Amino acid sequence: MNQNIKSKNIVSNYDYIISIFSNDWRGNFPELSNFFYKKFQISSTTDTDIIDSYKFDWSNLPGNASILVRPNNIKECSIILKTCYKCNIPVTVSAGRTNLTGSATPKEGLILSTVLLRSPSIKLDINNQHVLSPVGIPLEKLRNEVLDLSNNTLFYPVNPTSRYDALVGGTLSCNASGFIPGNKGATRYWVKEIEFLLPNGNYILIQRGQYFSSNFKFIIKDEWKNIHLPIPNYKRPDIKNASGPYSSESKNIDLIDLIIGSEGIFGLIVSCKLGLLKRPKEYLNLFLRLESENEALDLYTYLYNYFDKDMSKVFALEYFGHNCQNYMNHKDFLFNSDNQVGLYIKIPIYNQSIENKSIEWFEILKNFNNKIKSEEIVVLNDKKIWNYFLKQDIQFLIMHL
Ligand SMILES: Cc1cc2nc3c(=O)[nH]c(=O)nc-3n(C[C@H](O)[C@H](O)[C@H](O)COP(=O)(O)OP(=O)(O)OC[C@H]3O[C@@H](n4cnc5c(N)ncnc54)[C@H](O)[C@@H]3O)c2cc1C
């Protein structure tokens, strides 16, 4: 287990020029912008009209910044970070800006937008079931590319609702989660490797299993000194998706786990290698009518134990509280009484037929305290029923009302 991390200066040939500039810099941001653009051709601006559109994210918190840079590659990122580090300029990393916490909202200083970070290009390793990805592309683009490149045999299972706007790097930094229950539904589980730049611009390649904390800290070495990075030791809440630095009360933690979900506070992720899953042949989609919220919770516990704590055996488990009936035009189709609640379950099918899978699941559900009768299980697989479930089939709606 290695607690000592060696970081590398990948722009050492520019050390002198960066030092000269930083020593002379007196807070003039147009000068900084010129420095980035003229010396390194880095896309950089202090134009407030352009910066204004990057000052906010989906949190709608107020923001402020003096300069915006949009680097193209890892070296440009390193130059920017190194210069800001030496000039003492706060840096805010910005991606798709869909976070809801304000973590991509700058308070002051420089915005480093990752929207142009599109290298390395996407590369699929079909045998090892992983994909190399740049951070500056929308997550859904990566997901579609994986399907194309693997001929629909593999897929990246993390599917947050924001996946069309959120960028790959943003989803790593927020540990974004999708529909799959349990830790396999969140990003952290799938990250095998990242290329990472520290706030001082130094580079680290981090592979899962390579670096582990010891005595609640990592030690990062650069050319001159050892940086002691303490890690939090509070108990992690037992929930699927939590942003903020990863922590453990007692165990040594993997450096990758610390960085995923840390919302950019430790540095910049510049590329990643993500694990993939075999794509199911099809899905069984069920909607269950249940008598109460407590019954839904009991059913969850039953399934959790049934699957030996691995809830990723289902690809979605969505709860419908009874209040949601107030917002449905087709509630009579899904519910038999105002007090009922519902559970949508998406079940992957790999080798079995849909009939066999249905029988298996009817059996599983029947054994849940003998509570669920078959008439309370709606199979949504028929295309018309599915569209109606999503309320897309007006004709069907008219016929059944
Ligand atoms: C309509 C909507 C639906 C959503 N649905 C979901 C959902 O289903 N599941 C879910 O988990 N979340 C969801 N979110 C929240 C959010 O979309 C995700 O957390 C997403 O991962 C943020 O990605 P982003 O590219 O927009 O990142 P940003 O908002 O731009 O940045 C988020 C944080 O990551 C940091 N960051 C970004 N890129 C990097 C990088 N390369 N290196 C280091 N730090 C970086 C930023 O500094 C910031 O702290 C939703 C948000 C909206 C608005």
Side-chain angles (χ1 to χ4, degrees):
M1 234 174 338
N2 190 358
Q3 168 198 30
N4 298 301
I5 303 151
K6 203 155 186 320
S7 71
K8 207 163 78 185
N9 182 352
I10 54 170
V11 288
S12 52
N13 41 337
Y14 300 123
D15 275 357
Y16 180 70
I17 183 172
I18 291 173
S19 288
I20 296 283
F21 175 83
S22 311
N23 290 340
D24 289 347
W25 191 67
R26 295 286 174 269
N28 184 324
F29 283 98
E31 249 176 39
L32 178 65
S33 186
N34 269 341
F35 175 68
F36 285 143
Y37 184 68
K38 295 229 166 98
K39 297 279 183 213
F40 306 105
Q41 288 75 54
I42 296 173
S43 165
S44 170
T45 183
T46 52
D47 182 332
T48 47
D49 285 344
I50 302 175
I51 293 175
D52 277 355
S53 58
Y54 285 81
K55 276 191 337 199
F56 302 96
D57 56 34
W58 269 68
S59 69
N60 280 326
L61 291 169
N64 204 6
S66 304
I67 178 169
L68 165 74
V69 290
R70 284 169 289 198
N72 260 304
N73 56 49
I74 186 168
K75 285 216 161 151
E76 291 186 2
C77 294
S78 179
I79 289 166
I80 294 162
L81 291 174
K82 192 180 269 281
T83 308
C84 289
Y85 186 75
K86 285 185 184 282
C87 294
N88 217 5
I89 300 169
V91 173
T92 304
V93 180
S94 162
R97 303 200 312 278
T98 64
N99 77 85
L100 304 163
T101 58
S103 59
T105 300
K107 209 170 147 203
E108 57 179 322
L110 175 141
I111 303 170
L112 191 161
S113 168
T114 61
V115 289
L116 299 181
L117 280 178
R118 303 204 187 115
S119 60
S121 41
I122 296 173
K123 198 166 159 208
L124 180 77
D125 181 336
I126 213 153
N127 294 329
N128 292 309
Q129 276 186 225
H130 60 226
V131 65
L132 177 70
S133 173
V135 290
I137 55 168
L139 180 65
E140 191 62 0
K141 181 172 165 46
L142 172 66
R143 286 168 40 84
N144 285 334
E145 198 89 350
V146 167
L147 288 175
D148 280 355
L149 292 172
S150 71
N151 219 355
N152 286 325
T153 58
L154 296 174
F155 78 115
Y156 179 60
V158 183
N159 52 355
T161 321
S162 56
R163 59 191 179 274
Y164 299 91
D165 301 310
L167 304 189
V168 170
T171 63
L172 264 66
S173 305
C174 292
N175 187 29
S177 71
F179 287 85
I180 296 183
N183 62 346
K184 290 186 189 165
T187 304
R188 180 174 282 119
Y189 178 88
W190 300 99
V191 184
K192 307 273 177 232
E193 181 181 301
I194 52 174
E195 285 190 290
F196 191 66
L197 292 175
L198 295 166
N200 65 7
N202 269 19
Y203 170 88
I204 314 173
L205 174 70
I206 309 170
Q207 289 165 335
R208 183 167 286 285
Q210 187 181 7
Y211 299 117
F212 281 89
S213 62
S214 178
N215 296 324
F216 302 107
K217 69 177 175 198
F218 287 103
I219 300 171
I220 302 172
K221 295 169 189 288
D222 67 13
E223 310 94 300
W224 316 109
K225 58 181 184 296
N226 288 345
I227 303 161
H228 288 247
L229 176 64
I231 54 157
N233 61 348
Y234 48 76
K235 185 176 176 343
R236 288 189 64 68
D238 192 14
I239 53 174
K240 168 183 169 188
N241 173 23
S243 280
Y246 197 70
S247 66
S248 168
E249 277 177 308
S250 51
K251 281 195 249 152
N252 302 321
I253 68 168
D254 194 310
L255 183 59
I256 279 212
D257 288 334
L258 179 71
I259 288 165
I260 303 309
S262 64
E263 297 187 313
I265 62 171
F266 295 120
L268 177 71
I269 303 168
V270 274
S271 79
C272 57
K273 201 176 269 179
L274 304 171
L276 304 171
L277 205 57
K278 283 215 163 65
R279 190 161 183 254
K281 191 174 65 174
E282 55 189 330
Y283 298 95
L284 173 65
N285 293 294
L286 302 178
F287 183 83
L288 313 182
R289 301 183 186 112
L290 301 166
E291 288 316 310
S292 65
E293 186 174 303
N294 279 344
E295 193 177 16
L297 287 169
D298 288 348
L299 176 59
Y300 175 84
T301 310
Y302 166 74
L303 292 175
Y304 185 71
N305 292 328
Y306 184 88
F307 290 122
D308 210 10
K309 302 183 181 169
D310 182 5
M311 286 303 285
S312 67
K313 294 284 190 305
V314 298
F315 276 20
L317 193 74
E318 295 286 311
Y319 174 68
F320 290 63
H322 61 84
N323 281 331
C324 73
Q325 293 189 29
N326 298 333
Y327 302 95
M328 292 176 165
N329 287 333
H330 61 332
K331 67 173 190 172
D332 295 342
F333 167 67
L334 293 175
F335 298 100
N336 290 331
S337 80
D338 287 351
N339 294 329
Q340 277 189 328
V341 302
L343 205 60
Y344 162 65
I345 311 183
K346 180 175 182 176
I347 300 144
I349 304 177
Y350 287 96
N351 298 317
Q352 278 165 288
S353 67
I354 197 149
E355 289 75 20
N356 285 346
K357 199 67 177 175
S358 308
I359 294 168
E360 180 189 318
W361 266 84
F362 272 66
E363 211 48 43
I364 292 172
L365 294 170
K366 211 175 74 191
N367 289 333
F368 164 58
N369 295 346
N370 270 332
K371 274 184 184 165
I372 303 184
K373 309 272 175 302
S374 55
E375 57 270 24
E376 305 299 355
I377 305 173
V378 185
V379 180
L380 301 167
N381 275 54
D382 178 273
K383 199 161 180 238
K384 284 209 153 175
I385 296 186
W386 177 250
N387 283 340
Y388 187 52
F389 175 61
L390 299 176
K391 262 199 74 219
Q392 287 174 344
D393 189 337
I394 304 297
Q395 200 57 38
F396 190 82
L397 184 75
I398 295 165
M399 277 162 52
H400 285 77
L401 286 181

